[in-house]
Every structure is written in C-alpha cells, then in structure tokens.
Amino acid sequence: MDRLDNTIRPYAWGSTTAIPALLGVEPSGEPQAEMWMGAHPGAPSRTARGTLVEVVDADPERELGAAAVAKFGPRLPFLLKILAAGAPLSLQVHPNLQQAKEGYEDEERRGIPVDAPHRNYKDANHKPELICALTEFDGLCGFRDPLRAAELLAGLGVDSLKPYVDLLHAHPEDAALREVLTAILTADPEEMQHTVAAAATACTRLGGAYAPYADIAHHYPGDPGVIAAMLLNHVRLQPGEALFLGAGIPHAYLNGLGVEIMANSDNVLRCGLTPKHVDVPELLRIVRFEASDPGVLRPEASPEGEEVYDTPIDEFRLSRYVLPEGGALHDLTRDTPQILLCTAGTVRADGQELLPGQSVFVPAGEKAEVSGAGTIFRATVIV
C-alpha cells in the first residue's frame, strides 16, 4: 500500500483551525478548507511512486482491478476529502449522468474554455456525494414542504417577501417551488439587497430556527441565496451521521468538519451564496423541485465490525471501523482499489502507523490488514 501525501485547498470558506487540530499541527492563520485524497488531476495525492494519477495511468488494471476498469474506465472513480467549513459554502446542485454528458458536449461544441468562469460543465460525469460528520455539522439539504417554507418566510414580517409566500401556497408543489426560486434569482438586484438586509435583521432578532440564516446573511450580505436558502431543510449532523446528496438536490454545507466522498467530477451549478457564475436557466433545468426529508444516514454495522454508509451509487462505497484497544485484526483485502483514512487514535495498516488525517492507497487485491485503537474510514467502489 502507498502512503499518501495530500494537498490542502485554501478556499475562503475553510476553517482556520479544524484541519490543523485533526492533524495535530499549529494553524497557519489561513483557511484550510479541504484535504483531497485521490487521483483528481486538480490536486492528485502523491506517493513514493509518483502522483496517484501517474500510478494509476501506468497500469490501471493492476492498481484498480479488472472489474473496476471494465465498469468505470481506467481511472479512480471517487475522490475522498476531509472538509472543514468555517463559513457557508455556495448553494448548489449537481447534474445526473445524462445531464452532465449533454451539458459537457454542448459547451465543448460551443467552444467554451474549460477554465472559463461561466462554464458549467468541467467534465461529462455526475457528482453524487456523501458527507459524514466528524464534529457537529450543519447543512442545508433538499426543499422544505412549500407550506413550511411559506410559514418561515412569513414569520420574518418583511413586506417584500409576501409575493414569495403567496407563490408557495400555489399548487402543484413542484410548480410553486420552481416559481419561487426563479423569482428570487431573477429579482431586481437592488430590491433584493434591501429584502435580504431586512430578512437578515429579522433573522438575527428572532434567533432559534432563523439563526442559521442570520449567519448565512452575515457572510453573504445582499445575496439572493440567503432567501433561497430558507426554502431548504436545515439539518445538524452529529458525529458519525451522514448525508447523501444525489443529482438535482439543492444543498449547502454551513459549518463543521467531515469526511466527504464523491464521484470524480467538478460539475457544480450554483444557486447563490457565491460571487461565482449563476446560470439560472441551466440551474432550473437541473434542480429537482420536490420537497424531501434530508434523510440522515447512520451506518449499518456488520458482524465483522464494518459500519457501512449505504448509498445508491457504485462509484464509491464509504465505511468505517471503530477499533478498540487490543481488538481483533481486520482483513480489509478487496479486489477493488481502496483509500484508508485514519480520523482518530492510532491505526496500523500492514505495519504502517496512521495518525489522524493520514491515509494510504491500497491497490486492488493487495493485502490490507488493520488493527490498533482508533477510527479508520474505508473508501472503495462497488463492482
């Protein structure tokens, strides 16, 4: 197995303390948002054999296994991250596989450079993802029932929100949600700034269920995404709980430290809470306008001690082992590629000691035995 040297991305929304605390190092004072583990070309993990991209490219079947290559092609299908949100991320959705292919081909045909700020589709892949909390973790996930969203907006007592409240009482549900989100994102910018400012003041005064939106407005004053965020379910994960974000589900992470895994893609369509490009027509094509429960996931334990986060995706499979001192040796050998990540205690993986934040890549079929006293996350694929 290959010990990984991973890149930390310094996005502005990142916590300045959470990742350093996990790694046991002094904070630099700069935001540290995400640590990437995998073979994404934007920041591939480094090994003694070269970058993980180079390792996989040199012999895909040896590193990934014949079955994974046959199903997903000659690349690692997932990207694993430690994510540390110190401020809200952009409100966003991801396309399904067909939408991603169509969008990518269309932008390629129109000659839009991949690095253009108004480009939506960086690749032709979908981007389902799973976030598992290491600390208390706040997020937004999926639309509220329209009537509950109307009640929340009405409770602010802001006159300029009344048209949205009235729209949310319309039928059918999907049309009501579509009309309100469209109205919010296409409103006159100056008028929307006044609306958001009044809503933010009310959220701060009222607190309680409004407190998350007061914090969002503090970070993104005047952004229409503040009002759009109030259409969504607020959820607070406890350590070990997770959220699965499928195609078309609007979401945003607000605060906390977690392990995130996703299909290896960069495709994001933003709804707000960002200075970046918001393509309203394309966004409205991708969003699933239906009320839904956030669906908090708790791991399902096997007799062997593996706790699996069950998702409907084959590109990744995330599980964890909580290893007690003096516990049994666990054989994790598998005919698919794996990344093992320690998040607590000290774990030994085939003689290599892993401390919190340290990880290894295990090629398909290579022996992987773990022991120790700590927590280890296991990322692989389903073939």
Side-chain angles (χ1 to χ4, degrees):
M1 60 179 62
D2 299 276
R3 183 175 287 269
L4 299 180
D5 177 19
N6 303 305
T7 296
I8 296 176
R9 309 304 293 260
Y11 305 136
W13 50 261
S15 167
T16 58
T17 58
I19 288 179
L22 179 72
L23 299 176
V25 299
E26 287 295 316
S28 67
E30 299 298 317
Q32 297 189 348
E34 296 178 346
M35 184 168 77
W36 289 20
M37 291 156 280
H40 191 288
S45 299
R46 298 169 293 277
T47 78
R49 297 190 284 155
T51 70
L52 201 50
V53 170
E54 293 167 342
V55 168
V56 171
D57 284 351
D59 194 342
E61 289 210 359
R62 177 180 179 276
E63 303 298 333
L64 306 178
V69 171
K71 187 167 185 175
F72 306 111
R75 66 172 194 160
L76 189 66
F78 62 83
L79 176 63
L80 184 67
K81 299 179 181 179
I82 292 175
L83 182 145
L89 282 67
S90 61
L91 193 60
Q92 59 189 259
V93 295
H94 306 303
N96 63 32
L97 191 56
Q98 184 62 33
Q99 290 164 341
K101 289 177 178 177
E102 291 172 354
Y104 180 77
E105 289 169 2
D106 174 63
E107 291 185 327
E108 285 288 282
R109 189 166 50 247
R110 289 190 283 141
I112 301 174
V114 173
D115 57 355
H118 62 290
R119 173 116 184 191
N120 295 313
Y121 297 95
K122 312 295 186 186
D123 53 68
N125 200 15
H126 62 166
K127 195 189 177 206
E129 59 191 40
L130 176 77
I131 183 80
C132 177
L134 295 178
T135 64
E136 275 198 348
F137 193 98
D138 280 62
L140 304 173
C141 178
F143 285 110
R144 298 176 186 267
D145 178 279
L147 296 181
R148 290 189 56 219
E151 183 181 353
L152 194 71
L153 290 175
L156 293 172
V158 175
D159 288 344
S160 53
L161 290 175
K162 190 175 185 306
Y164 304 142
V165 173
D166 292 341
L167 283 172
L168 287 166
H169 282 93
H171 294 286
E173 174 185 280
D174 59 343
L177 291 169
R178 178 182 288 274
E179 285 191 43
V180 172
L181 185 62
T182 303
I184 291 169
L185 296 180
T186 57
D188 178 82
E190 188 173 337
E191 291 179 6
M192 179 54 71
Q193 285 190 353
H194 291 302
T195 297
V196 173
T201 299
C203 286
T204 301
R205 182 184 74 252
L206 293 167
Y210 293 97
Y213 307 100
D215 185 62
I216 292 170
H218 169 73
H219 289 285
Y220 298 98
D223 192 304
V226 174
I227 307 303
M230 298 184 74
L231 303 177
L232 307 187
N233 298 296
H234 173 253
V235 60
R236 174 166 293 167
L237 301 177
Q238 298 303 312
E241 294 180 335
L243 282 176
F244 173 71
L245 291 315
I249 302 296
H251 62 278
Y253 301 146
L254 303 181
N255 186 271
L257 181 71
V259 173
E260 185 183 33
I261 190 168
M262 62 191 63
N264 205 347
S265 171
D266 273 339
N267 288 326
V268 175
L269 288 112
R270 294 174 176 85
C271 316
L273 310 183
T274 178
K276 295 181 179 179
H277 177 59
V278 177
D279 184 336
V280 175
E282 186 64 10
L283 173 73
L284 297 175
R285 188 177 79 88
I286 299 303
V287 171
R288 288 168 54 186
F289 289 98
E290 56 188 47
S292 61
D293 184 276
V296 174
L297 291 177
R298 295 171 182 85
E300 300 176 10
S302 73
E304 294 76 30
E306 184 180 27
E307 299 177 343
V308 180
Y309 293 92
D310 187 33
T311 66
I313 294 298
D314 291 345
E315 282 94 337
F316 61 75
R317 176 185 185 274
L318 186 71
S319 62
R320 70 173 184 174
Y321 289 81
V322 180
L323 306 173
E325 183 69 54
L329 187 73
H330 293 271
D331 186 354
L332 274 56
T333 305
R334 193 178 174 97
D335 290 333
T336 52
Q338 304 182 74
I339 291 178
L340 306 180
L341 164 67
C342 176
T343 59
T346 303
V347 175
R348 287 176 296 279
D350 279 355
Q352 296 196 47
E353 185 177 88
L354 299 180
L355 300 176
Q358 296 181 341
S359 56
V360 292
F361 171 70
V362 185
E366 217 171 89
K367 187 178 74 169
E369 294 180 336
V370 299
S371 61
T375 300
I376 192 162
F377 279 82
R378 177 197 213 186
T380 186
V381 300
I382 298 173
V383 294

